[in-house]
Amino acid sequence: MKKILVTGSAGFIGFHLVKALLGLGYKVIGIDNINDYYDRQLKTDRLNNLDTFIRDNQLDKNYQFIKIDIADQNALENLFYDNHIDIVVNLAAQAGVRYSLDNPSAYVSSNLVGFMNLLECCRHAKIQHLIFASSSSVYGMNTKQPFSALDNTDYPISLYAATKKSNELLAHSYSHLFKMPCTGLRFFTVYGPYGRPDMAYYKFTKAISEGKPIDVYNNGIMKRDFTFIDDIVKGIIELIEKPPAKQASNITSSDAPFKVYNIGNNNPVTLRQFIEAIEAAVGKKAIENLLPMQAGDVPITYADIDELEQATGFRPSTSIEDGLEKFVKWYKSKNLVTK
């Protein structure tokens, strides 16, 4: 089987993806810088869970974890030099919209410098396919719904979104210049067990469970295309060995082997519905602190996933009620506490 490098492998999506890839028989190298953007204990718990899975299934020879920051050019180059890597899935990034208002340099280091380092390594290693994480935030304040990957994304409204749009532009340049197959995935609000504690569903579950108030922005009328982690992983895996071919376009004369897809639930729900589903799963009503919409937020995200479905057969199958019930069940079993 092919060897796959997963960056950000101690992160939420990365952890679940590595586990799924190993279960399918792939050889995997996982890298992560284990930063302190949120409680490192959660990242340690993910890695420990993965170690148990590997040990129970005797997959030790198929997996290696290395602590590396993709912004460290020398370390990344040495990794590629020492290993034959076929496919790269880049999930390493400084995440979060609100955090970017106070810590812009973290986004430049990881999302721009780190991604550029990775592109150079992939180019020289002649990897077969680079899949990289983009974000629904690139659509900014677009009013056309649902968002199509062909829509204009020239007006991001957060630094995080701007770095993700930059990733798409850089990857297309490398794809065009060096014929390197690249696929960008615009994720739409991913949630589930072992999820990030800075995300609303995690904060809400913790607060509601403890009888503490939750901040509800814009009266809860904002809509999000919440997508369960299992559906996201399934979509990524469908693309692993399907690199884009050179393709003509009615938009550009470039025939680069490059493609960007939306990957979401294709069924947005209001924040109000989301809170009610958490309340049902927890078994308690929320105490709400109503606030106006925050800077950098958008009123709705809604993914048009037709192209991804046509290319891979991808179709999400987890309802918001089922997904949140699974998350709350995990939360209660772990009782992790954010810091």
Side-chain angles (χ1 to χ4, degrees):
M1 294 292 283
K2 293 178 179 178
K3 182 175 284 188
I4 301 176
L5 170 66
V6 178
T7 72
S9 64
F12 173 36
I13 300 175
F15 154 71
H16 284 280
L17 178 62
V18 168
K19 199 170 182 180
L21 290 172
L22 289 171
L24 293 171
Y26 287 100
K27 293 184 177 181
V28 180
I29 298 175
I31 65 172
D32 201 293
N33 66 356
I34 318 290
N35 68 25
D36 60 358
Y37 169 59
Y38 55 80
D39 187 4
R40 286 188 174 127
Q41 184 59 49
L42 180 52
K43 299 180 182 182
T44 300
D45 288 343
R46 292 176 186 137
L47 293 176
N48 289 341
N49 179 280
L50 186 57
D51 285 342
T52 300
F53 172 78
I54 290 168
R55 185 171 58 251
D56 290 347
N57 292 278
Q58 299 180 328
L59 295 170
D60 304 70
K61 294 182 179 179
N62 287 357
Y63 176 68
Q64 181 182 14
F65 174 77
I66 307 171
K67 186 179 178 182
I68 289 179
D69 189 329
I70 61 171
D72 185 338
Q73 182 179 358
N74 290 334
L76 201 60
E77 288 175 348
N78 289 336
L79 172 71
F80 275 80
Y81 181 82
D82 293 338
N83 297 273
H84 174 77
I85 296 169
D86 299 297
I87 296 166
V88 175
V89 182
N90 180 49
L91 300 171
Q94 178 57 60
V97 170
R98 293 176 189 126
Y99 187 71
S100 68
L101 300 176
D102 300 318
N103 299 275
S105 60
Y107 293 77
V108 173
S109 176
S110 181
N111 301 6
L112 297 180
V113 175
F115 189 68
M116 187 66 191
N117 290 341
L118 192 65
L119 285 172
E120 271 292 281
C121 288
C122 289
R123 166 197 171 190
H124 292 294
K126 295 182 169 50
I127 58 105
Q128 298 171 19
H129 191 191
L130 167 63
I131 298 175
F132 64 95
S134 186
S135 169
S136 61
S137 64
V138 301
Y139 291 106
M141 296 294 285
N142 282 16
T143 56
K144 173 182 166 292
Q145 300 291 338
F147 295 143
S148 166
L150 297 177
D151 291 344
N152 188 301
T153 55
D154 290 340
Y155 304 98
I157 59 169
S158 70
L159 178 60
Y160 171 70
T163 62
K164 286 301 184 180
K165 174 64 176 180
S166 298
N167 287 174
E168 294 180 5
L169 296 172
L170 288 167
H172 181 269
S173 297
Y174 268 70
S175 182
H176 173 75
L177 292 170
F178 309 113
K179 308 308 175 190
M180 188 170 78
C182 296
T183 300
L185 291 175
R186 292 173 179 168
F187 293 118
F188 281 69
T189 317
V190 189
Y191 73 99
Y194 285 97
R196 283 172 27 209
D198 63 311
M199 297 294 284
Y201 67 92
Y202 197 117
K203 291 180 178 179
F204 287 178
T205 297
K206 182 178 187 300
I208 293 171
S209 298
E210 298 174 357
K212 296 178 180 178
I214 60 173
D215 290 338
V216 180
Y217 296 96
N218 201 29
N219 291 309
I221 63 174
M222 294 181 297
K223 285 189 173 183
R224 291 291 180 267
D225 210 351
F226 296 103
T227 315
F228 192 62
I229 184 61
D230 290 358
D231 292 326
I232 288 288
V233 168
K234 182 167 57 178
I236 296 173
I237 287 174
E238 287 291 338
L239 284 166
I240 287 286
E241 297 197 47
K242 294 179 181 176
K246 293 180 181 179
Q247 48 193 318
S249 168
N250 60 1
I251 299 175
T252 173
S253 60
S254 172
D255 62 351
F258 176 86
K259 191 70 180 176
V260 172
Y261 294 106
N262 288 332
I263 181 165
N265 200 45
N266 192 228
N267 183 31
V269 300
T270 64
L271 186 60
R272 175 66 51 207
Q273 292 171 274
F274 193 64
I275 293 169
E276 290 171 355
I278 296 175
E279 290 174 329
V282 172
K284 294 176 71 174
K285 294 290 290 183
I287 303 168
E288 299 183 6
N289 178 32
L290 299 179
L291 297 168
M293 187 153 63
Q294 283 201 323
D297 268 351
V298 295
I300 182 172
T301 64
Y302 180 10
D304 179 342
I305 60 171
D306 287 350
E307 282 196 292
L308 183 59
E309 184 177 15
Q310 292 167 12
T312 67
F314 171 78
R315 175 55 59 179
S317 59
T318 309
S319 70
I320 194 68
E321 292 79 14
D322 288 346
L324 285 172
E325 184 177 357
K326 290 177 181 178
F327 170 74
V328 171
K329 183 178 179 180
W330 166 82
Y331 179 86
K332 287 181 175 179
S333 72
K334 295 295 182 182
N335 196 25
L336 297 173
V337 179
T338 57
K339 293 182 179 180

